[in-house]
Amino acid sequence: MSEKVLMKGNEALAEAAIMAGCHHYFGYPITPQTEVAAYMAKRMPKIDGGVFLQAESEIAAINMVIGVAATGKRVMTSSSSPGISLKSEGLSYLAGCDLPALVVNVQRGGPGLGGIQPSQSDYFQATRGAGHGDFHTLVLAPNSVQEMVDMVFKGFDLAEKYRIPAMILSDGTMGQMMEPVSLDMGEIKEYDKSWALTGTKGERKPNIVNSLFLEASELEKFNFERFERYKQIEENEAMYEEYRMEDAEICVVAFGVASRVSQNAIDEARKQGIKVGMIRPITLWPFPKKVLNAAADKVKAFISVELSMGQMIEDIELAIRCKKPVELCNRVGGMIPSTAEVLEKIKEVNGGVK
Amino acid sequence: MVSNNLTSKRITVFAGHYGSGKTNIAVNYAIYLNDLGNKTVIADLDIVNPYFRTKDSEKILKDKGIKLISSEYANTNVDVPALPAETYSVFADKDCKGVLDVGGDDRGALALGRYVPLILEENDYEMLFVINKHRFMTGTPEGTIEIMKEIEDACGLKFTGIVNNSNIGEETTVETVVSSMEYAKNVSQLSGLPIKMTTVWDAIYDKAKEEIEENLFPLKMYVKQSWLKERDE
């Protein structure tokens, strides 16, 4: 184990990407993710072959990402909510071309220009593919700076394994919090990249990376094939963490910064004798449906704690087939629920379903 | 605690690498100066980071009677790199002790530049370089010196001393601080600047005192975030 260092979430994202072999970064400044780009600007010139480029816009940056991804090299871009909207067309092209890449969203409050304080209100945008057409983006939602590092590695790995774009869904608070991390990541797996555009040297037929199909039947075939892969991802790659769920009668569901507040509230509720636990989705797509559905047979109710008007709550209801009530506990616009607010909701639900 | 030599200065500037701990040290130091009976003013000069500002400590500073000068926009959605005109009062009011909390790196230090002529004219200041061995970019003495020079070039003011704030967040132990002293001494040697302060969380201050005798300064965490793990103490 290498010695730990103290890092901000945004810095950890950038450094972990470099360590994961991503030597190409294209970005554009927007609060609260600017440190990712600033860090890359400082570090990339010191890396052999490293490229940092501040594009003229978010749209240009994501299209540069498509270019590098087509060569089979690891590549990343990052932005915050409004910037991700601009990148969503590019995300669709990445998916349509079956290209791996890592996109980071350090979320801020919306809609519109919104604010610069933390939010989780891009949940729908992230988990529903963000752009046009039938596709998914693999969405990872770390809740600590260490997990930020781990998820960058995981994101690149799964993106290459399944040839799909992956997204880290962070937020303003996660990006700014400072925690000790180990950057010791182990080996980088190598996947077949015989599809990549690396030059034929006159020795093979050219590869084509493209999302345009002239025949409807051909486009349909690619869609079906892609969704076969999505099925495998849903089957094998859902990640979650259970917290004090052994005898829980109430199940809190929360990700990212909301799960950290919830954990403190759960500890406090337990002290007061309330049997409450948490299932924390680490992947938001694929959503950990199975574990939630199994929990629905044991608990009395669920509470979805979100920094949005209630987006993940719909996935919880779908996952548990509406077998049990799901209550919402939320703050929006850049506000974070306090431990006391989550605790109050737990008490309310505990009283209500006795 | 710190020497009289340090607290007798009228202006104390804290600058350093992004995330090196400047704001928390500046707030703690302002409270320390105030508790010694000084009329104290703290000014937030950070125009880089819209999160985690001196303003987070507004309540404790107010309770202590310390004047806080901070952008009206700090902690709001207005991401404007503006400083209040009131900042000049720190230099005009010679009866007060002024603590300046400068933004991170050369980019943050740029804003200090406009006040440097006033600081040099009065010539009664300390400009302290806050360092942390456990930050990735300042992990080596050489990397630390590089950032130091970038800051000095950006603001046009030379550092006069070092604050060793080496820590690893919640996992910091006495050993973390003790083992950072060699790094701090190397930075001191390379830069020719004395170590004027070594910081340590107040919870482990007494233990650390047994190992580090000189200029050990205890830090309190005045702002508690809801997403931080609750500690059983």
Side-chain angles (χ1 to χ4, degrees):
Chain A
M1 194 90 153
S2 66
E3 203 178 321
K4 285 191 176 179
V5 287
L6 189 65
M7 292 193 106
K8 288 200 176 208
N10 282 342
E11 296 171 338
L13 280 173
E15 189 57 43
I18 292 170
M19 294 213 163
C22 168
H23 295 169
H24 295 81
Y25 171 90
F26 305 99
Y28 189 78
I30 180 171
T31 306
Q33 70 81 48
T34 303
E35 290 105 349
V36 182
Y39 192 93
M40 286 295 196
K42 263 214 157 95
R43 281 280 286 147
M44 276 299 193
K46 293 177 182 164
I47 306 287
D48 189 25
V51 173
F52 163 85
L53 201 150
Q54 181 175 318
E56 69 270 32
S57 72
E58 284 89 347
I59 298 170
I62 190 80
N63 280 285
M64 291 170 188
V65 167
I66 296 172
V68 171
T71 71
K73 296 263 188 258
R74 290 192 164 186
V75 57
M76 181 169 112
T77 186
S78 60
S79 194
S80 178
S81 308
I84 296 294
S85 293
L86 289 167
K87 288 183 196 293
S88 60
E89 180 196 47
L91 273 166
S92 173
Y93 278 69
L94 279 167
C97 296
D98 295 315
L99 290 174
L102 189 65
V103 177
V104 174
N105 182 359
V106 186
Q107 295 170 94
R108 57 190 255 179
L113 205 47
I116 58 171
Q117 304 292 336
S119 165
Q120 297 181 327
S121 54
D122 301 343
Y123 178 92
F124 278 150
Q125 186 194 45
T127 56
R128 269 63 179 170
H132 61 279
D134 276 318
F135 80 95
H136 282 292
T137 304
L138 194 118
V139 186
L140 303 156
N143 88 335
S144 68
V145 181
Q146 182 64 60
E147 209 170 70
M148 205 82 91
V149 170
D150 300 345
M151 289 305 113
V152 166
F153 265 66
K154 192 83 186 166
F156 275 118
D157 181 69
L158 292 177
E160 289 189 345
K161 184 176 178 186
Y162 295 101
R163 290 183 63 186
I164 62 165
M167 181 183 278
I168 305 252
L169 199 62
S170 177
D171 67 69
T173 306
M174 296 297 308
Q176 294 293 332
M177 66 171 65
M178 284 181 85
E179 287 177 334
V181 291
S182 158
L183 290 159
D184 198 4
M185 290 299 117
E187 268 176 57
I188 297 167
K189 263 192 218 160
E190 295 282 340
Y191 294 98
D192 168 53
K193 284 179 184 165
S194 55
W195 48 266
L197 309 184
T198 52
T200 64
K201 300 180 185 74
E203 290 164 4
R204 60 166 170 81
K205 279 191 177 171
N207 288 333
I208 295 171
V209 171
N210 183 27
S211 66
L212 173 68
F213 295 91
L214 300 181
E215 295 288 339
S217 60
E218 207 189 348
L219 179 54
E220 184 190 47
K221 192 176 95 161
F222 272 93
N223 270 285
F224 280 141
E225 279 178 12
R226 197 170 292 123
F227 270 73
E228 277 305 312
R229 259 183 292 144
Y230 289 163
K231 226 159 96 180
Q232 284 177 34
I233 296 171
E234 292 212 72
E235 196 58 43
N236 302 319
E237 308 297 351
M239 286 187 282
Y240 59 88
E241 185 186 56
E242 289 184 280
Y243 183 70
R244 304 187 84 162
M245 279 299 291
E246 314 80 52
D247 58 344
E249 293 172 357
I250 298 168
C251 175
V252 171
V253 186
F255 68 93
V257 69
S259 67
R260 300 188 48 139
V261 180
S262 298
Q263 192 168 325
N264 285 338
I266 288 164
D267 289 345
E268 190 50 46
R270 282 273 177 181
K271 278 184 204 156
Q272 298 179 22
I274 303 172
K275 289 180 177 172
V276 54
M278 174 165 66
I279 294 174
R280 171 173 77 90
I282 300 172
T283 52
L284 300 179
W285 190 88
F287 197 64
K289 292 178 194 168
K290 279 184 208 160
V291 66
L292 284 164
N293 199 20
D297 296 327
K298 293 177 194 159
V299 303
K300 292 189 277 195
F302 290 82
I303 301 170
S304 185
V305 183
E306 304 182 52
L307 276 66
S308 78
M309 288 307 291
Q311 300 188 14
M312 180 176 67
I313 191 170
E314 293 189 11
D315 277 343
I316 301 168
E317 285 171 334
L318 279 170
I320 66 166
R321 301 288 168 199
C322 294
K323 280 189 279 197
K324 296 285 162 66
V326 189
E327 293 282 323
L328 179 65
C329 176
N330 66 332
R331 293 296 299 270
V332 298
M335 302 301 294
I336 302 177
S338 67
T339 310
E341 282 165 343
V342 179
L343 178 62
E344 200 46 47
K345 191 68 175 183
I346 292 170
K347 281 182 180 168
E348 185 192 312
V349 169
N350 187 49
V353 291
K354 253 179 187 169
Chain B
M1 288 294 174
V2 299
S3 62
N4 290 333
N5 171 316
L6 188 62
T7 56
S8 68
K9 293 287 165 55
R10 212 187 61 77
I11 302 277
T12 311
V13 184
F14 291 95
H17 179 38
Y18 195 64
S20 57
K22 298 173 295 295
T23 297
N24 193 40
I25 295 169
V27 168
N28 273 272
Y29 191 66
I31 291 170
Y32 176 67
L33 282 178
N34 187 71
D35 289 350
L36 288 177
N38 295 294
K39 175 181 169 193
T40 308
V41 179
I42 182 168
D44 176 5
L45 301 189
D46 192 347
I47 56 161
V48 176
N49 186 1
Y51 283 72
F52 301 145
R53 302 289 292 258
T54 324
K55 198 162 184 151
D56 295 336
S57 305
E58 200 169 13
K59 195 180 172 298
I60 174 82
L61 292 170
K62 203 176 166 191
D63 290 350
K64 292 270 183 185
I66 298 167
K67 184 168 161 191
L68 165 67
I69 300 173
S70 168
S71 164
E72 278 180 51
Y73 306 121
N75 288 351
T76 75
N77 277 332
V78 187
D79 193 5
V80 174
L83 292 173
E86 201 187 3
T87 309
Y88 279 106
S89 68
V90 179
F91 308 103
D93 179 5
K94 309 276 190 233
D95 295 332
C96 78
K97 286 267 197 278
V99 176
L100 304 184
D101 176 18
V102 179
D105 287 348
D106 46 344
R107 291 182 300 272
L110 208 56
L112 176 65
R114 73 179 291 168
Y115 308 108
V116 165
L118 294 169
I119 295 172
L120 287 174
E121 192 192 325
E122 188 184 358
N123 197 21
D124 189 6
Y125 71 95
E126 289 281 350
M127 161 107 158
L128 301 177
F129 182 39
V130 181
I131 61 172
N132 180 356
K133 180 195 174 192
H134 299 284
R135 292 282 289 150
F136 195 82
M137 296 267 203
T138 55
T140 63
E142 293 75 21
T144 310
I145 294 292
E146 198 180 313
I147 288 178
M148 184 191 93
K149 288 190 173 141
E150 285 171 3
I151 293 172
E152 288 182 339
D153 286 348
C155 67
L157 194 63
K158 298 271 185 217
F159 284 105
T160 59
I162 291 168
V163 176
N164 178 20
N165 184 44
S166 293
N167 75 89
I168 183 109
E170 292 196 340
E171 293 176 21
T172 307
T173 62
V174 172
E175 177 53 27
T176 316
V177 185
V178 171
S179 69
S180 75
M181 291 308 288
E182 198 188 320
Y183 154 83
K185 278 175 191 156
N186 282 336
V187 175
S188 168
Q189 237 163 35
L190 283 172
S191 63
L193 300 172
I195 304 168
K196 297 234 165 162
M197 208 192 270
T198 293
T199 61
V200 59
W201 289 113
D202 61 345
I204 54 172
Y205 175 76
D206 289 338
K207 268 193 194 161
K209 191 89 188 118
E210 293 165 16
E211 311 254 357
I212 303 165
E213 283 152 22
E214 270 202 342
N215 299 339
L216 195 64
F217 186 72
L219 291 179
K220 277 194 168 67
M221 182 74 103
Y222 287 107
V223 182
K224 179 87 175 74
Q225 308 284 358
S226 63
W227 37 263
L228 278 180
K229 219 171 145 50
E230 296 286 347
R231 265 191 271 188
D232 296 318
E233 278 166 29

